[in-house]
Amino acid sequence: MLLTHSGEYVQLLTPRGERVDAPGFDPWVADIGSVELRSLYEDMLISRRLDTEATALQRQGEIGLWPPLLGQEAAQVGSAHALRPSDFVFGSYRENAVAFCRGVDLTTMISVWRGNANAGWNPYDISMAAPAIIIGAQTLHAVGYAMGCDFDRSDDISVAYFGDGATSQGDVNEAMIFAASFSAPVIFFCQNNHYAISEPVGVQTTKPIADRAPGFGIPSIRVDGNDVLAVFAATAIAADRARSGNGPTYIEAVTYRMGPHTTSDDPTRYRPETELEEWRAKDPLDRVKRYLMKIGALDDAQMQAIDDHADRVAKDLRAAIRALPEPEPLSFFDTVFAEPNAHLARQRSQHAAYLAAFDGGER
Ligand SMILES: Cc1ncc(C[n+]2csc(CCOP(=O)(O)OP(=O)(O)O)c2C)c(N)n1
C-alpha cells in the first residue's frame, strides 16, 4: 500500500544514516544515486547556512524579523526537489528553503524582512506565490490554482505548504473540502514542526494530523519529515497522483522547529530542553552525511567544498543586504492599491506630517 495514515511514518534513512527498505516508496527514489543525494545534502546545508545567517542579521539589527526553518531542511528541500519548475507553490513565511530550491534571488527574499520591499519575489519568476502571513490562507489559493490547471488541461499541479497550527484554521478545512469535491491536482503539505508559536501540536489534534485527510476524502501519507529521501518519495507519489487526474494528496511531514517561532519569540518559556535534545539526534543533515560517508560518496575534500559554497552564498547575501539603499518611507503607500484613493492619500499625508515632525531633531 502506498498511502498510509495509521500513525506510523515512512522512513528510508534512519537518524544513524542507514538506508532502510520501504516497499512502495523505494521505486520513487530509484534515480537518486550518490550525486543526486549529495546535491540534496548541499541544498539542505546551504538552506541551513542561509537561515543561520538571516538569524544573525536580525540579531545585529540588519533585518527586522526572521522566521527560522532550522530543523525543517529535509521537509522543504526534499519536497521542493520532487516538483517541476512549472508547478506552482503556495507557502507560508517559513518556506524559505523551498524558495531557495526554486531559484529565488536571495537578496530579494530577505529584503522584505529589512523593510525594503513589500512582498519579496515576483511569483511568476519562480512559480511560487509571495509568502502568506495569514495562517492557512494560501491553501485556498493553491486549490484555486490547481482547479485552474485542470480547466487549462495542463498537467501542472500546485502545492500548499502549511504548519500543524494551520490545520485548525477554517480556511484549510474549506480548501480540503473543495479540493476533494473537485478532485483538484493539489498537494497539501503539512510540516508538523510540533508548535504553533507556543501551542504544542497536541492542542490542535489528539490523533496524527494525517488521519484527518481521509475524512475529507483525501488520501494521506505520514512521513519522517527529517528524512529527505522519504519526503522526496512521498511528494513524488503525490505529484504523480495529481498529474494523472487522481486529485489531491495530503502529506504530513513529521519534523521539528529547532529554533524560535520567529526571532521575537523565546521558546525556552514553553519548550523543554530534553525535547530539543531528542530531536537534535534526528537531525536531517547529519543522517545524510553519515550515509554518504558510509557508502564512500562523501570525503573530506568534497565536504569542504560544500561548506565553502554555503559560506560564499551567506557572505554574498550579507554584503548584498547591507548594501541595499534605505527605503523611502512614503513609497510604501504607492503599492497598496492599483488605483489611488482618498483614504490612502489621507493616511499618506498624515504620515508625511508625522515624519516631518522629526526634522531638526524635534519630536
Ligand atoms: C489567521 C491568523 N491567525 C493567527 C495568526 C497569528 N499567528 C502567526 S504564526 C501562528 C502560528 C502558526 O503555526 P503553524 O501553522 O504550526 O506554523 P509554523 O509557524 O509552526 O510554521 C499564528 C497563530 C495569523 N498570522 N493568522
Side-chain angles (χ1 to χ4, degrees):
M1 191 171 73
L2 287 185
L3 304 172
T4 58
H5 41 82
S6 62
E8 293 294 303
Y9 60 39
V10 181
Q11 187 178 69
L12 302 182
L13 211 49
T14 70
R16 293 166 62 167
E18 291 146 352
R19 179 73 171 84
V20 288
D21 292 338
F25 288 85
D26 291 324
W28 296 90
V29 293
D31 290 341
I32 300 186
S34 305
V35 175
E36 290 77 16
L37 190 57
R38 225 173 16 238
S39 116
L40 284 166
Y41 177 70
E42 182 157 9
D43 276 2
M44 285 198 287
L45 193 101
I46 295 174
S47 299
R48 179 166 291 186
R49 190 73 178 82
L50 285 173
D51 196 64
T52 44
E53 194 68 21
T55 303
L57 282 167
Q58 194 284 328
R59 297 295 187 225
Q60 292 157 3
E62 298 288 351
I63 61 175
L65 183 75
W66 181 249
L69 60 87
L70 187 70
Q72 300 181 219
E73 295 87 353
Q76 295 198 16
V77 171
S79 55
H81 272 255
L83 303 175
R84 297 200 301 216
S86 55
D87 296 332
F88 214 97
V89 172
F90 295 82
S92 76
Y93 38 79
R94 208 180 295 285
E95 275 69 66
N96 294 308
V98 177
F100 164 68
C101 291
R102 293 189 78 74
V104 73
D105 174 71
L106 298 175
T107 312
T108 315
M109 178 169 96
I110 304 218
S111 64
V112 179
W113 304 97
R114 190 172 162 98
N116 284 65
N118 282 346
W121 58 80
N122 177 351
Y124 299 103
D125 285 349
I126 60 166
S127 292
M128 179 166 177
I133 306 289
I134 303 169
I135 298 301
Q138 73 276 19
T139 56
L140 293 165
H141 308 157
V143 173
Y145 190 93
M147 290 170 68
C149 292
D150 245 4
F151 294 146
D152 289 347
R153 299 189 186 290
S154 145
D155 70 347
D156 286 337
I157 64 165
S158 70
V159 185
Y161 285 89
F162 53 96
D164 43 292
T167 60
S168 298
Q169 198 70 21
D171 284 3
V172 177
N173 292 271
E174 290 165 26
M176 287 166 72
I177 294 167
F178 238 77
S181 302
F182 292 92
S183 197
V186 58
I187 302 174
F188 291 100
F189 194 95
C190 175
Q191 285 169 85
N192 174 2
N193 68 7
H194 283 78
Y195 284 93
I197 313 187
S198 54
E199 293 292 283
V201 65
V203 181
Q204 317 294 341
T205 175
T206 53
K207 299 267 186 191
I209 290 178
D211 278 1
R212 281 209 187 148
F216 289 88
I218 302 175
S220 64
I221 305 174
R222 193 162 199 255
V223 67
D224 180 345
N226 284 10
D227 172 354
V228 74
L229 279 184
V231 172
F232 180 94
T235 315
I237 291 170
D240 185 64
R241 287 191 77 250
R243 270 187 234 298
S244 41
N246 293 307
T249 306
Y250 191 103
I251 296 172
E252 177 191 357
V254 183
T255 180
Y256 195 80
R257 190 198 78 212
M258 297 297 290
H261 171 73
T262 65
T263 44
S264 57
D265 171 44
D266 174 9
T268 61
R269 295 179 63 183
Y270 57 83
R271 200 168 67 176
E273 182 62 28
T274 46
E275 197 177 271
L276 211 60
E277 282 308 312
E278 193 189 307
W279 281 91
R280 211 168 266 138
K282 300 180 195 169
D283 186 80
L285 274 72
D286 286 350
R287 69 181 74 186
V288 179
K289 188 174 165 182
R290 286 189 189 124
Y291 177 66
L292 283 169
M293 288 182 139
K294 206 176 298 176
I295 61 171
L298 186 68
D299 59 27
D300 288 347
Q302 285 165 316
M303 192 60 234
Q304 191 60 51
I306 294 174
D307 280 345
D308 290 349
H309 182 193
D311 279 345
R312 253 189 337 269
V313 173
K315 202 167 157 222
D316 291 350
L317 174 68
R318 168 173 288 267
I321 290 297
R322 296 192 67 187
L324 285 173
E326 286 293 310
E328 157 54 47
L330 291 177
S331 67
F332 281 91
F333 291 92
D334 301 337
T335 47
V336 180
F337 291 105
E339 303 285 334
N341 65 66
H343 180 69
L344 199 65
R346 193 169 61 249
Q347 278 190 27
R348 188 184 207 282
S349 71
Q350 283 170 346
H351 194 62
Y354 169 74
L355 293 174
F358 289 90
D359 279 349
E362 285 181 37
R363 282 185 174 256

